[in-house]
Amino acid sequence: MKTLDSQWRTSSRSGHNGACVEARYADHTAQVRDSKDQAGPVLSFTPAQWIGFVQEIKTGKLEA
């Protein structure tokens, strides 16, 4: 895992329309929040959980 970076980031593929999620690495966790509700809840994942989630997205396992 890369070094800790507490800056929130959006995907370069999000289209910058405000309807996306933001993610960051902080406090040894991967954190995700709704870009439209930045003061709202934040989901936290262990590095292993986050890596597994991203891998499932890449392989198409989570497509509806």
Side-chain angles (χ1 to χ4, degrees), residues 40-64:
V42 173
L43 301 175
S44 295
F45 302 91
T46 66
Q49 290 171 323
W50 183 252
I51 290 168
F53 175 68
V54 170
Q55 290 301 320
E56 287 194 10
I57 290 171
K58 288 180 179 180
T59 60
K61 290 182 180 178
L62 299 178
E63 291 183 14

Side-chain angles (χ1 to χ4, degrees), residues 16-30:
H16 304 291
N17 62 7
C20 57
V21 296
E22 297 175 318
R24 71 178 179 177
Y25 288 109
D27 301 324
H28 304 288
T29 62

Side-chain angles (χ1 to χ4, degrees), residues 1-42:
M1 178 188 288
K2 67 182 189 177
T3 59
L4 295 180
D5 179 0
S6 62
Q7 182 178 348
W8 289 103
R9 300 179 188 278
T10 57
S11 170
S12 60
R13 296 179 183 214
S14 68
H16 304 291
N17 62 7
C20 57
V21 296
E22 297 175 318
R24 71 178 179 177
Y25 288 109
D27 301 324
H28 304 288
T29 62
Q31 299 178 340
V32 182
R33 70 179 181 186
D34 183 345
S35 64
K36 296 182 303 297
D37 185 14
Q38 294 180 351
V42 173

